[in-house]
Amino acid sequence: LLVAIAGPSFVLAVVTVFYAAATFVTFLLPPAPPVTLEPGIARRAIHEPVRQLREGFEAIGGNREVGRPLVHLAAAASLVGVIAVLGPNLATSLGLDPTNLIVVVLPLGLGVVAGVIGLRRYGVGVSRRRAGEIGLIVFGSLAIAIALAAALSAATGTSVIPLVVVFAFSAGAAYAATIVSAQTGMFESMDAAVRGRVFGVLASIVSAASLVPLLVAGPLADATSGPAVIAFAAVCVSGVAGWSRRR
């Protein structure tokens, strides 16, 4: 929305101000107690993160109820990354100016909020695993529907924006159900002693899962089309969810 109103340079300036404000706020936190440095602390500072990351992977490998939601989170993040990087292409296929992508993004964001609220109100007693799997399948299916609608609009010139808005809102709700259920299930299943290590692995895997599609989606979209790449990524994500559900 800010890009459409004031341009990308203004948005970058706003983001910079937010980072500066966040940095300033950290100085208001209470100071940590003094730490006594032991001999060899510099050498351990290099090896300790590597050791803890390795222990986190070992904890995930030995616990399917931790590893499965981690796969759900990585799959959802990868599909979100593809949709994000191909958003302008998707807008063009729908007959919109790329700066008007807010037409799709706003319903998606509102859907995420609605999904969180709905899961909190109506998800009591629902299996975390099943909620995450079903949410991921629905998210992938709706992403396929959005891609097909965009391809239809580009091929025939038919306006499908109202339909895409509905799909985007529902996809946002399904995405929220997936990530909330997966994170909650993982938190409940993991041993408290390795919780920090597992969340460190989570951050690494989700970042990698988001980065790879960003690097691949653009060239693939140039060779084919944006909706085709989104549909392919959504099919892969739905396949991951289906595999998880069968197991």
Side-chain angles (χ1 to χ4, degrees):
L1 182 60
L2 288 177
V3 169
I5 294 174
S9 297
F10 177 77
V11 175
L12 292 175
V14 170
V15 172
T16 302
V17 170
F18 280 156
Y19 269 106
T23 303
F24 172 76
V25 169
T26 61
F27 291 104
L28 303 180
L29 295 173
V35 178
T36 302
L37 299 181
E38 302 175 0
I41 188 67
R43 184 174 64 255
R44 290 201 301 273
I46 299 175
H47 296 291
E48 186 70 12
V50 177
R51 182 184 65 81
Q52 293 191 6
L53 193 62
R54 184 178 65 251
E55 291 178 356
F57 276 109
E58 292 173 353
I60 292 172
N63 190 339
R64 183 178 297 176
E65 295 306 316
V66 173
R68 182 185 291 109
L70 187 60
V71 171
H72 295 170
L73 291 170
S78 65
L79 183 52
V80 168
V82 170
I83 295 175
V85 75
L86 297 181
N89 189 297
L90 181 65
T92 302
S93 300
L94 293 171
L96 297 171
D97 187 276
T99 58
N100 294 327
L101 186 60
I102 186 66
V103 174
V104 178
V105 175
L106 181 60
L108 191 67
L110 294 176
V112 171
V113 176
V116 172
I117 296 175
L119 190 64
R120 179 181 180 184
R121 176 166 296 185
Y122 303 108
V124 178
V126 178
S127 168
R128 314 290 190 200
R129 171 186 171 185
R130 293 307 181 194
E133 291 168 346
I134 293 173
L136 193 58
I137 291 173
V138 173
F139 180 42
S141 301
L142 289 170
I144 294 172
I146 292 173
L148 292 177
L152 175 65
S153 177
T156 64
T158 305
S159 177
V160 294
I161 294 177
L163 187 62
V164 170
V165 167
V166 174
F167 287 159
F169 180 85
S170 303
Y175 172 72
T178 300
I179 60 173
V180 171
S181 300
Q183 288 185 350
T184 304
M186 185 171 61
F187 188 83
E188 291 175 343
S189 300
M190 72 176 65
D191 186 0
V194 296
R195 190 168 292 159
R197 295 168 175 78
V198 172
F199 270 95
V201 173
L202 167 65
S204 302
I205 292 179
V206 171
S207 297
S210 302
L211 178 61
V212 172
L214 293 179
L215 298 176
V216 176
L220 285 180
D222 291 338
T224 56
S225 68
V229 176
I230 292 175
F232 175 74
V235 168
C236 294
V237 168
S238 298
V240 169
W243 166 81
S244 174
R245 186 168 178 80
R246 284 195 303 270
R247 290 177 64 87

